Amino acid sequence: MQKFWNDPVTWGHAGLYLLGAIAVLAVVIVFVTYAIYFERKVIGWMQYRRGPNRTGPLGLLQTVADVAKLLMKEDTIPAKADKALFILAPVLAFVPSFLVLAIIPYGLNLQFADLNVGFLYYVALSGITTIAIVLGGWSSNNKYALLGGMRSAAQMISYEVPLVMSVVGIAMMTESLNLREIVIYQEGWFWHWNFLPQIVGFAVFVVAAISELNRTPFDLPEAESELVAGYHVEYSGFRFAFFMLTEYIYVYAIACLATILFLGGWNAPAPQLDFIPGLVWFALKFACIVFFLFWIRATLPRLRIDQLMGLAWKVLLPLAILNIFLTAVGIEWWGKGGG
């Protein structure tokens, strides 16, 4: 496998890369389609409602029907909008969300790009989506859309700081930002996984990640009671679908990252269970994270904007710094004890 990646690029290689990218896109689109269905059913179950149950067997085609409706709806552009930026914003939001998937390792040799700074690659590209959201709100020439875009910029930039700092402890322990090496570091029993020694960092990561996704209880940029629908209020049809697709692709990416950084990736919880394929363990952990995100949405009310920003700077950031300090002390103590 390593030899293949080091070979000179040929048309055959380019074709394989293209087929792989198409396969990943297909998997992600299927995930998004049925993650929406699963979310609606889970929230319905938690709130004593049925959820989708009419379109197709058990309502399985409801999301397909919704997507078809979006694709067939009229594509409208406000008369006084900045048309070039208005058209560019959904594309600029979607492309980085798909590109971040290149560095996700699903198995020891199941990964598109094995970067030494894989986590920084994710942070750098996901930041472009923030710019796209601001552009979408500003170019719409709508004050509610602009407020939603500005809220999103403030929220996502603020929560990126504790999100990145929550992973510093893992980088200190593993001496790497390579996602594949971080998973290899967690081999063995489940108490070797990073979520136990990095429990504070894990808590900060989860809260900051939910805010980065603009999901309940941190969905202030889309607060319909205040902003009608937020930054995408003027979008319709397939351009609106691009924004929704972007959100759920980031749900996919964040669930993968949480699995890799804190839950051992493809590693089994015990060496005796190694006969089960690593991809199965990865999928199970990934599904638990996605279910947790849906559970939170069904449970918690939306925060106020002052509570939102205060949580980032007054709670999560100090906790992330404390986690770095405790990790440094632990590494120094363990090193001395081992010596």
Side-chain angles (χ1 to χ4, degrees):
M1 178 62 71
Q2 191 64 36
K3 182 180 183 301
F4 173 80
W5 292 118
N6 291 333
D7 285 345
V9 177
T10 64
W11 284 109
H13 288 153
L16 287 175
Y17 296 151
L18 180 60
L19 288 175
I22 292 172
V24 171
L25 181 60
V27 168
V28 169
I29 288 177
V30 171
F31 164 79
V32 170
T33 301
Y34 287 99
I36 295 171
Y37 168 81
F38 181 61
E39 180 172 18
R40 293 169 71 179
K41 294 294 283 188
V42 166
I43 294 176
W45 170 64
M46 290 183 175
Q47 297 176 349
Y48 298 98
R49 296 183 287 106
R50 289 188 180 274
N53 65 343
R54 298 299 180 90
T55 309
L58 303 177
L60 287 170
L61 297 180
Q62 182 61 57
T63 306
V64 177
D66 293 340
V67 171
K69 179 188 72 174
L70 282 175
L71 295 178
M72 291 188 290
K73 286 185 71 173
E74 180 184 4
D75 177 32
T76 58
I77 299 178
K80 295 185 179 181
D82 187 320
K83 293 186 179 180
L85 295 180
F86 188 86
I87 294 170
L88 176 64
V91 179
L92 194 61
F94 168 75
V95 172
S97 72
F98 182 63
L99 291 178
V100 299
L101 302 182
I103 47 91
I104 301 296
Y106 303 98
L108 190 60
N109 294 308
L110 193 58
Q111 183 181 20
F112 269 94
D114 188 19
L115 300 182
N116 288 332
V117 288
F119 181 71
L120 292 183
Y121 171 88
Y122 170 85
V123 173
L125 281 183
S126 62
I128 298 175
T129 299
T130 306
I131 299 172
I133 289 174
V134 174
L135 280 181
W138 182 83
S139 63
S140 298
N141 194 36
N142 179 304
K143 62 182 178 181
Y144 296 109
L146 177 60
L147 283 172
M150 296 305 292
R151 274 188 179 188
S152 184
Q155 175 176 330
M156 295 176 78
I157 291 172
S158 297
Y159 278 85
E160 272 181 6
V161 178
L163 180 74
V164 173
M165 294 187 70
S166 68
V167 182
V168 172
I170 292 177
M172 294 167 66
M173 290 171 56
T174 61
E175 299 182 352
S176 176
L177 284 173
N178 182 301
L179 298 181
R180 185 167 167 270
E181 292 180 3
I182 289 173
V183 176
I184 293 172
Y185 175 84
Q186 301 174 78
E187 288 180 344
W189 291 88
F190 69 91
W191 54 76
H192 294 155
W193 298 351
N194 287 330
F195 83 95
L196 283 175
Q198 289 291 309
I199 187 65
V200 177
F202 181 52
V204 172
F205 180 90
V206 168
V207 177
I210 295 173
S211 182
E212 282 287 290
L213 295 171
N214 287 339
R215 293 180 61 84
T216 308
F218 305 110
D219 56 339
L220 270 296
E222 304 169 15
E224 67 278 356
S225 59
E226 306 161 33
L227 301 174
V228 185
Y231 58 89
H232 50 56
V233 66
E234 296 290 356
Y235 283 89
S236 64
F238 74 96
R239 300 190 202 282
F240 175 81
F242 262 97
F243 278 120
M244 292 297 98
L245 180 61
T246 298
E247 177 181 328
Y248 278 90
I249 290 179
Y250 275 122
V251 168
Y252 179 94
I254 281 291
C256 287
L257 274 182
T259 300
I260 291 163
L261 294 173
F262 294 98
L263 300 180
W266 60 82
N267 290 317
Q272 292 85 348
L273 298 174
D274 282 342
F275 66 93
I276 300 175
L279 191 59
V280 173
W281 289 116
F282 189 99
L284 287 173
K285 299 169 188 177
F286 169 87
C288 290
I289 295 292
V290 172
F291 174 80
F292 175 75
L293 294 175
F294 296 163
W295 183 8
I296 291 295
R297 180 173 181 179
T299 306
L300 298 180
R302 180 183 296 132
L303 274 66
R304 296 196 314 264
I305 187 67
D306 59 316
Q307 295 172 330
L308 175 82
M309 301 305 289
L311 179 64
W313 297 108
K314 297 178 182 178
V315 179
L316 296 186
L317 183 59
L319 281 177
I321 295 172
L322 175 64
N323 181 64
I324 295 172
F325 173 76
L326 293 177
T327 303
V329 170
I331 291 172
E332 181 67 18
W333 177 83
W334 183 265
K336 286 182 178 179

